[in-house]
Amino acid sequence: MPSNTSPIFKPLRKRTFEEVSAQIREQIAAGGLREGDKLPPERQLAETLGVSRNTVREALRSLEHAGLLELKPGSGGGAYISNGGVNAIKVAFDDMMNLGTLSSQDLMEARITLGREVARMACLRYTDADMAAMEANFEQMCAAAKAGNFKVRVQYSVDFHRLLARAAGNPVLAIMTSVLVDITMNFVRVLGEMPNEFVIDSRQRMLRYLRARDVENTVQEYTDYMQKTLRNYMRDTQLDSTELRPARKN
């Protein structure tokens, strides 16, 4: 939610883009700027801070690369406070995957391990609003499946994991879930339109377990669903129904 207060910027003694970036970061940390807030125009920032527009522009670009700003073009554009670095985390993971530091198996193992805890916490903590959002998501997914819109059905299915993580009530878990979901989608290989009955049936069962706050069955349903989904959609992954990966040899 955007902030209702105006950020307070002060003239800088050192006229470097790092100092401009630091002052914007301080305003975010102090709550003067929140996600969705728009920064003053470059010219106004430059005059207020006593620096050149090029210095401001360089600072904004560095913050964009860090994931703290989104620079939108056009007449209604500008520099907006972004999602707290989620994009930066995703880029870092993408880079490690491209460099071979992380494998798809590492990613899937982390996804399932984190997801189990998210499912457990969501089962214990969800609110009426959380449940309503997950149920609405399920209905939309079913409608897309019935209409034969595979792409939209997949998107609603993916969004459910974000809703589940939000219901867990821990913003760190919500951020990490969103990052892992986004990265997973980069490595999904969709082999044509596949039967989706198991997805709908599984989601129905999971919602039933969540309503009953049945933690054990919620976690098990999540695990079974993820492993079956990954077997169907991911290549170069050694996950099976009994273990995530063999024990390492000493």
Side-chain angles (χ1 to χ4, degrees), residues 111-142:
R111 174 91 187 271
I112 292 177
T113 301
L114 179 70
R116 285 170 172 162
E117 185 61 18
V118 164
R120 184 189 71 80
M121 293 174 64
C123 192
L124 295 172
R125 296 180 176 180
Y126 75 82
T127 65
D128 290 343
D130 292 326
M131 179 55 68
M134 288 187 286
E135 290 178 335
N137 170 276
F138 175 68
E139 294 300 326
Q140 291 165 322
M141 185 184 73
C142 289

Side-chain angles (χ1 to χ4, degrees), residues 45-240:
L45 269 176
E47 292 175 353
T48 302
L49 298 172
V51 299
S52 69
R53 291 186 66 179
N54 284 337
T55 298
V56 169
R57 192 172 297 119
E58 193 172 359
L60 298 183
R61 286 173 181 165
S62 72
L63 292 171
E64 181 187 28
H65 293 157
L68 292 176
L69 286 184
E70 180 181 1
L71 302 183
K72 299 180 181 180
S75 58
Y80 290 82
I81 303 301
S82 189
N83 53 12
V86 173
N87 291 336
I89 298 172
K90 180 179 178 297
V91 168
F93 272 93
D94 282 340
D95 287 343
M96 286 189 283
M97 295 288 288
N98 292 333
L99 289 170
T101 307
L102 302 178
S103 69
S104 58
Q105 188 175 1
D106 293 326
L107 176 64
M108 294 306 101
E109 188 175 63
R111 174 91 187 271
I112 292 177
T113 301
L114 179 70
R116 285 170 172 162
E117 185 61 18
V118 164
R120 184 189 71 80
M121 293 174 64
C123 192
L124 295 172
R125 296 180 176 180
Y126 75 82
T127 65
D128 290 343
D130 292 326
M131 179 55 68
M134 288 187 286
E135 290 178 335
N137 170 276
F138 175 68
E139 294 300 326
Q140 291 165 322
M141 185 184 73
C142 289
K146 186 176 181 180
N149 195 328
F150 182 73
K151 183 177 180 180
V152 173
R153 196 272 294 168
V154 169
Q155 188 58 57
Y156 280 122
S157 181
V158 168
D159 287 343
F160 178 84
H161 296 281
R162 295 188 175 92
L163 294 173
L164 187 69
R166 186 187 305 170
N170 184 306
V172 175
L173 291 179
I175 290 171
M176 293 308 301
T177 296
S178 184
V179 169
L180 290 177
V181 166
D182 286 345
I183 298 172
T184 299
M185 293 304 293
N186 291 342
F187 290 86
V188 167
R189 302 294 184 260
V190 181
L191 306 177
E193 294 194 12
M194 301 175 64
N196 56 29
E197 288 81 4
F198 83 91
V199 179
I200 293 174
D201 291 345
S202 175
R203 198 59 47 80
Q204 264 186 326
R205 288 191 297 270
M206 191 162 186
L207 286 170
R208 183 170 70 248
Y209 296 142
L210 283 166
R211 292 188 201 100
R213 298 199 186 272
D214 184 340
V215 175
E216 182 177 354
N217 279 318
T218 296
V219 173
Q220 188 59 54
E221 186 62 41
Y222 173 89
T223 304
D224 292 345
Y225 164 77
M226 285 302 303
Q227 290 181 335
K228 187 170 185 178
T229 299
L230 296 174
R231 282 199 303 272
N232 283 337
Y233 289 99
M234 299 297 293
R235 296 186 307 188
D236 303 323
T237 301
Q238 302 302 317
L239 298 176
D240 60 36

